[in-house]
Amino acid sequence: MLLAIDCGNTNTVFSIWDGTEFIATWRTSTDWQRTADQYYVWLSTLMRFRKVEADITDVIISSTVPRVVFNLRVFADRYFDTRPLVVGKPECALPVAPRVDAGTTVGPDRLVNTVAGFDLFGGDLIVVDFGTATTFDVVDTDGAYIGGVIAPGVNLSLEALHSAAAALPHVDISKPQRVVGTNTVACMQSGVFWGYVGLVREICARIKAERAREMRVISTGGLAPLFQQSVDLFDEYQDDLTMHGLTVIHEYNKELAE
């Protein structure tokens, strides 16, 4: 079985893929100081608790935090006797190479989302990922990543607002009942929610105009369901887009090795 690991700036997700479906998924906070042994104790304890029996033979990793990769490599080698595939490294091939400026390093999560989006929906896509940053990934007709947009994440914006303005409280993001707030919390929630709706709509419109073609807009990430409530903002929502992309990349590399 395959253990797929998606390490983001805030959280790290571990999912076990049996070749047909994900049989278990767990999430932990990202911590570059966590050792290989700590990863194993944490994962094996959760597997026993859920009564998950899995013979893990392969591991694939996507990480936007380079400092965690070493311990994850040791974790895979020590406890599963396998050398993991690491997206973005030379030994991990992609179905279609990205087409960006020479010398540009593309975030592994963006490459994985591109592969997943193309596998599920075909080309001419805009993948909007609501993570620590809000990213827009443009997928060409043949499935190549050809660039995109990076904006501050929703929670990051709220935290900055709270930190920089002493009189403003920390609030949770939610869809407000009305645009015009009648108290501080409602005003902040309205500004963030409708502000990001406007940001997504405008950026996607400009990408489509620049590309001079119709493009489907796919949403993913922790806050994507919240913004899915906005009518006509997205064509599709995929909560496990990144994990799906990891299985596709693993299968592609497995076929190349045969």
Side-chain angles (χ1 to χ4, degrees):
M1 293 186 186
L2 172 68
L3 175 61
I5 304 174
D6 172 34
C7 178
N9 290 295
T10 305
N11 294 313
T12 300
V13 180
F14 290 69
S15 289
I16 299 175
W17 174 257
D18 69 358
T20 305
E21 62 181 354
F22 288 109
I23 61 173
T25 297
W26 298 280
R27 184 181 301 266
T28 185
S29 59
T30 299
D31 181 2
W32 66 269
Q33 294 181 310
R34 186 173 287 129
T35 66
D37 300 330
Q38 288 173 318
Y39 278 119
Y40 181 72
V41 169
W42 172 80
L43 183 63
S44 60
T45 300
L46 289 173
M47 289 176 67
R48 285 196 300 272
F49 181 77
R50 287 271 300 273
K51 295 183 172 60
V52 174
E53 296 183 5
D55 180 18
I56 295 172
T57 57
D58 298 275
V59 178
I60 185 169
I61 301 166
S62 168
S63 177
T64 59
V65 185
R67 298 176 78 179
V68 306
V69 173
F70 174 78
N71 282 332
L72 287 173
R73 282 184 183 272
V74 174
F75 162 72
D77 178 65
R78 180 177 297 167
Y79 292 104
F80 303 115
D81 193 27
T82 183
R83 179 178 176 82
L85 274 174
V86 180
V87 179
K89 300 298 183 181
E91 65 271 17
C92 183
L94 299 174
V96 184
R99 292 194 286 271
V100 293
D101 294 343
T104 299
T105 300
V106 182
D109 55 333
R110 307 184 76 179
L111 296 174
V112 175
N113 284 348
T114 295
V115 171
F118 182 73
D119 183 69
L120 292 171
F121 305 106
D124 289 328
L125 299 178
I126 303 170
V127 180
V128 184
D129 189 348
F130 292 93
T132 304
T134 300
T135 59
F136 299 73
D137 302 323
V138 181
V139 185
D140 208 351
T141 307
D142 64 349
Y145 171 86
I146 57 172
V149 176
I150 301 175
V154 177
N155 285 322
L156 194 62
S157 295
L158 275 172
E159 189 61 37
L161 194 61
H162 167 63
S163 299
L168 296 181
H170 178 77
V171 301
D172 293 325
I173 180 64
S174 64
K175 183 180 180 181
Q177 295 182 343
R178 297 182 297 176
V179 175
V180 179
T182 54
N183 57 70
T184 302
V185 170
C187 289
M188 292 174 66
Q189 289 176 332
S190 183
V192 171
F193 181 84
W194 293 113
Y196 271 84
V197 168
L199 179 143
V200 171
R201 198 183 301 280
E202 180 68 12
I203 288 178
C204 288
R206 287 183 176 273
I207 291 173
K208 292 176 183 178
E210 189 169 280
R211 299 282 294 157
R213 66 186 68 184
E214 280 300 310
M215 304 181 74
R216 299 179 74 183
V217 181
I218 314 300
S219 70
T220 190
L223 288 175
L226 173 66
F227 290 95
Q228 194 71 16
Q229 300 176 48
S230 182
V231 179
D232 298 330
L233 196 60
F234 305 108
D235 297 301
E236 300 284 349
Y237 161 67
Q238 284 291 131
D239 63 340
D240 60 351
L241 188 70
T242 305
M243 305 313 290
H244 177 77
L246 287 173
T247 68
V248 174
I249 292 173
H250 173 262
E251 185 63 28
Y252 178 74
N253 281 267
K254 187 177 178 180
E255 291 174 358
L256 287 179
E258 292 177 351

